[in-house]
Amino acid sequence: MDILSHEDTRALAVILDEDPDVVAILSLQLHVLGMQSRCYRHADALLEEIIECQPQLVVMGLEFGDPDGIALLRLLAKQGYGGWVLLLGGVERKISRIAEQVGHTLGLQMLGSLDKPMRMAELRQRLEGLHLGRKPAVSPEDDPFFSADELDQALELRELTVHYQPQFELTTGRLSGVEALVRWAHPQIGLIGPASFLPMLTAAQGRRLTCHVLQQALADAEAWARTGLSLSLSVNVTADDLMESQLLALTRHRGPGEPPLVVLEITETAAMDDELLGSEIAARLHLNGMEVSVDDFGVGFSSLSRLQMLPISELKIDRSFVRHVQQDSQDAAIVEAVALLGRRLGIRVVAEGVEELDCLPTLARFGCTHVQGFGLSRPVPAESIPALAANQSSIRARIAAIGTSDGITP
């Protein structure tokens, strides 16, 4: 972890919760992880601390009187708080999710919700890679950390590279595809994740970046194919990207049925905004040998009749449902319903965000066909994919060891 170890330079976290046992446990855990902490039972005192000290992390419950937790998120955003926010469980999960969405909408850097009792391993996982001890890459009220000119230059110098999130067939453990994820190999800072620069892209830059990622991913897929490795290739796109004619031009050189199978992933809400336009675009992509996947399915509020209209080949169940599928009956019911819907429509159902492998038998029983997530493999550079494919025995053994059954894939 990139947390400073000396007492006088350790990153500061502030904790707000009414339960003294929760506060004591969290303080100890943060201390072990190399952070100093200050604890509060009233929101007013915490807000004063934020103004004075600008802590890098706020850990807060949602139930502590007036103002309530969601109102406090609005106050944090109003003050221009630029650090990270981690919510504490203890309320109905739906309430936590609404609070997370409110925080994201306000421009706060949300780390999700930590269930009670808090586990050290989960807390460590949430804080890894945040570079606590220095200013966050994106501060809602500050000037952008990266300018439009810098992003244009990064595109020109090909500093924006692609890593790949492996996707596995659930019944066999076979590496079946990859999802292309953009990274910025910044010459001074190092490798930067997309959350730090994608929100700053103009629409034109976004379309240009999508074409760049697709072009690079196709080149990598062709290199894998020369070694005998054929994988499906998923690329995230926006609704604006789908109107870009170059997307079709980049794939027209391929012969009929020639790999890789290109899957364009679009979020549920974006895919459903305009029923006729969405159907037309998806149909044209399908006619040109590409498939459309609805990403983060279950998060939006679109009607199923619109889903019926779109030539969709894949549904990806949002990680927020998969993460707690073993513990939360409502999450399990949603995952099962989406998987059943996919099976009835004859399309692939991908569970993303798999972190604990003990959920795999449940996902298989529900009817999910494919899985991806850090529990199976983290995103890797293109040159690591052939080795991962050649050494799948460990993945297959891990899936077989927990009793995944055959016969699920439609």
Side-chain angles (χ1 to χ4, degrees), residues 64-92:
F64 46 79
D66 187 20
D68 59 57
I70 295 178
L72 179 57
L73 291 175
R74 292 192 173 278
L75 292 172
L76 289 175
K78 185 177 180 180
Q79 288 188 355
Y81 175 62
W84 303 90
V85 180
L86 176 61
L87 302 179
L88 293 175
V91 298
E92 187 177 354

Side-chain angles (χ1 to χ4, degrees), residues 41-324:
R41 297 186 65 181
H42 302 286
D44 291 344
L46 178 137
L47 290 169
E48 292 176 3
E49 181 75 11
I50 289 197
I51 294 173
E52 182 179 350
C53 299
Q54 286 294 307
Q56 286 111 325
L57 175 65
V58 171
V59 186
M60 53 177 279
L62 291 171
E63 289 185 309
F64 46 79
D66 187 20
D68 59 57
I70 295 178
L72 179 57
L73 291 175
R74 292 192 173 278
L75 292 172
L76 289 175
K78 185 177 180 180
Q79 288 188 355
Y81 175 62
W84 303 90
V85 180
L86 176 61
L87 302 179
L88 293 175
V91 298
E92 187 177 354
R93 197 174 301 281
K94 290 179 181 179
I95 303 301
S96 294
R97 285 181 180 146
I98 291 171
E100 289 177 40
Q101 291 171 355
V102 169
H104 283 300
T105 301
L106 293 170
L108 295 172
Q109 299 190 116
M110 305 298 295
L111 292 176
S113 178
L114 189 67
D115 290 332
K116 300 177 183 179
M118 293 74 64
R119 295 189 303 164
M120 172 71 89
E122 187 175 0
L123 179 61
R124 184 190 302 273
Q125 185 180 53
R126 298 295 177 91
L127 301 184
E128 277 180 346
L130 297 187
H131 307 292
L132 296 175
R134 71 184 191 188
K135 182 181 178 181
V138 181
S139 181
E141 300 294 333
D142 290 346
D143 292 330
F145 188 69
F146 303 110
S147 68
D149 289 341
E150 286 179 295
L151 293 169
D152 275 334
Q153 185 178 21
L155 282 164
E156 290 290 341
L157 298 177
R158 303 187 71 83
E159 293 173 355
L160 297 176
T161 185
V162 181
H163 283 205
Y164 297 93
Q165 175 68 60
Q167 187 178 100
F168 298 90
E169 189 177 63
L170 186 50
T171 57
T172 65
R174 178 181 67 89
L175 178 65
S176 58
V178 293
E179 178 182 350
L181 303 171
V182 67
R183 300 287 188 267
W184 185 353
H186 196 283
Q188 281 80 44
I189 301 175
L191 202 63
I192 301 173
S196 295
F197 60 89
L198 287 186
M200 302 173 195
L201 294 175
T202 65
Q205 286 176 323
R207 289 192 294 270
R208 184 181 172 194
L209 176 60
T210 298
C211 290
H212 168 76
V213 170
L214 178 57
Q215 190 173 32
Q216 181 60 59
L218 285 168
D220 289 335
E222 289 170 1
W224 301 331
R226 289 194 291 270
T227 69
L229 179 59
S230 179
L231 302 172
S232 67
L233 181 65
S234 298
V235 178
N236 294 280
V237 297
T238 67
D240 285 340
D241 293 334
L242 291 176
M243 299 301 292
E244 176 57 61
S245 59
Q246 190 179 354
L247 279 179
L248 296 177
L250 286 172
T251 61
R252 281 185 178 139
H253 68 283
R254 298 186 301 127
E258 181 182 344
L261 170 64
V262 177
V263 182
L264 299 183
E265 296 186 10
I266 184 168
T267 59
E268 178 185 354
T269 49
M272 309 299 182
D273 277 346
D274 186 319
E275 181 177 347
L276 180 59
L277 179 60
S279 299
E280 175 191 341
I281 292 171
R284 291 181 62 199
L285 294 172
H286 184 77
L287 291 172
N288 283 270
M290 289 184 277
E291 294 188 355
V292 176
S293 170
V294 178
D295 197 10
D296 300 337
F297 190 78
V299 175
F301 298 95
S302 301
S303 70
L304 295 179
S305 62
R306 291 190 175 186
L307 182 62
Q308 181 188 29
M309 288 288 295
L310 294 171
I312 298 297
S313 303
E314 177 182 280
L315 294 178
K316 298 191 77 172
I317 305 176
D318 186 69
R319 68 187 68 245
S320 63
F321 303 115
V322 176
R323 183 186 304 142
H324 301 290

